[in-house]
Amino acid sequence: MPTAINEQIKILAELQKVDSEIYRLRKELAGIPALQKKVEDDFEKKKAGMKAAEADLKAAQLKQKEKEGELASKEEKIKKLQGQLYSLKTNKEYTAMDLEIKGLKADNSLIEEEILRSFDGVEAAKAKCAAEKEALVIEEKKSKEETAVHTKRAAELTAAAAELDEKRKAYLPNIDPKLLSQYERVLKGREGLALVPVRNNSCGGCHIGLPPQTVNEVMMQEKLIFCEECARILYWMP
């Protein structure tokens, strides 16, 4: 019986190496969607930046157009009042209209200053748009390259895991079904690490110190011994 368990544990140890690699590959594979999502999110942020820059440019151009329209309207009114100025019959009417014309001209001076500032705003917005467009082109190229890398890596991981799945099948007929069932139950519950060696009288999985009696039982290899802390199967490695 000890020899049988000893041989079974040797096979399980080899199977554990394969399973550890399978779990490692699948863990990396499971992380790829998150990496790809970050790539897509970064690209969407750049697109949003471009849209915001375009909206700012449109707003600046609209403001400039509104001010130019306001200036044209006031100039038209000044022209009209000036045409009426000399047809007035009293000094009082003349003075009042002249003051109104001067007020409109003063308003126009302020509007003209605002229009000049708006030119600067429009140019700055255009420059921002150009910069965001350039950044978007770069980010799009980067996004495509990183997506290609992730796609290729996912294919490599899938192929490698499939190859190891086939390899592990060769071990299964040589393992007692009951023992295999116990091993696979622990394997699933402990994320790919079911069988661990005893190192320095401690569990090789959770690293908790083991009672001397447990260590002795592991060394005897007469039955499967489980770590009381993490429930992994223990084996002796000279």
Side-chain angles (χ1 to χ4, degrees), residues 47 49-59 61 125 129 132-133:
K47 284 172 67 177
M50 180 67 190
K51 288 180 180 178
E54 288 175 339
D56 288 344
L57 174 58
K58 187 175 180 180
Q61 289 172 329
C129 266
E132 289 292 339
K133 185 176 181 179

Side-chain angles (χ1 to χ4, degrees), residues 45 67-68 89 136 141 175 201 203 218 222:
K45 285 178 183 177
K67 288 299 176 182
E68 287 173 343
K89 297 179 180 180
L136 183 61
K141 181 182 178 183
I175 304 172
N201 296 328
C203 171
V218 174
E222 294 180 348

Side-chain angles (χ1 to χ4, degrees), residues 3-233:
T3 303
I5 288 293
N6 179 53
E7 292 302 319
Q8 291 281 285
I9 287 177
K10 284 182 180 179
I11 298 170
L12 279 179
E14 292 301 313
L15 179 61
Q16 177 63 81
K17 291 177 184 178
V18 174
D19 283 334
S20 292
E21 183 63 8
I22 289 173
Y23 270 75
R24 186 192 70 79
L25 293 172
R26 287 179 176 164
K27 184 176 182 180
E28 185 180 346
L29 183 61
I32 287 180
L35 295 176
Q36 182 57 31
K37 186 176 186 305
K38 184 179 184 306
V39 170
E40 293 167 0
D41 287 346
D42 288 345
F43 183 55
E44 287 301 317
K45 285 178 183 177
K46 287 296 180 185
K47 284 172 67 177
M50 180 67 190
K51 288 180 180 178
E54 288 175 339
D56 288 344
L57 174 58
K58 187 175 180 180
Q61 289 172 329
L62 180 61
K63 182 178 180 181
Q64 179 182 328
K65 189 174 181 180
E66 288 174 348
K67 288 299 176 182
E68 287 173 343
E70 186 179 352
L71 179 64
S73 176
K74 287 184 179 294
E75 285 179 343
E76 183 64 29
K77 189 172 183 180
I78 289 171
K79 185 178 179 181
K80 183 179 179 180
L81 290 175
Q82 285 176 331
Q84 298 173 355
L85 191 63
Y86 298 102
S87 63
L88 298 176
K89 297 179 180 180
T90 66
N91 288 335
K92 185 177 180 181
E93 290 175 332
Y94 181 93
T95 301
M97 187 171 288
D98 186 52
L99 286 173
E100 185 178 357
I101 291 170
K102 288 178 180 177
L104 289 170
K105 287 181 177 181
D107 289 345
N108 278 3
S109 295
L110 294 175
I111 293 171
E112 286 170 351
E113 290 177 6
E114 290 181 14
I115 289 173
L116 288 174
R117 286 195 296 270
S118 73
F119 275 118
D120 293 336
V122 168
E123 290 306 309
K126 285 180 178 178
K128 182 71 181 297
C129 266
E132 289 292 339
K133 185 176 181 179
E134 184 178 350
L136 183 61
V137 170
I138 293 171
E139 189 65 32
E140 184 175 19
K141 181 182 178 183
K142 179 184 173 184
S143 175
K144 288 179 179 178
E145 289 173 349
E146 291 184 351
T147 296
V149 169
H150 293 156
T151 300
K152 181 182 177 183
R153 185 56 180 161
E156 292 171 348
L157 292 169
T158 301
E163 186 177 336
L164 288 174
D165 279 334
E166 289 300 314
K167 184 177 179 179
R168 87 183 298 273
K169 289 177 183 178
Y171 293 100
L172 305 186
N174 301 315
I175 304 172
D176 178 84
K178 183 178 179 181
L179 192 155
L180 181 61
S181 177
Q182 290 176 303
Y183 166 83
E184 291 189 330
R185 183 170 64 250
V186 179
L187 188 74
K188 184 178 180 180
R190 290 297 170 183
E191 298 185 348
L193 189 59
L195 185 74
V196 295
V198 172
R199 289 196 177 96
N200 299 320
N201 296 328
S202 299
C203 171
C206 65
H207 310 295
I208 299 295
L210 301 168
Q213 182 181 346
T214 300
V215 176
N216 288 334
E217 288 176 341
V218 174
M219 291 176 67
M220 291 172 66
Q221 299 186 38
E222 294 180 348
K223 60 181 180 179
L224 288 186
I225 305 300
F226 296 85
C227 173
E228 293 183 359
E229 185 68 27
C230 69
R232 290 186 175 94
I233 303 169

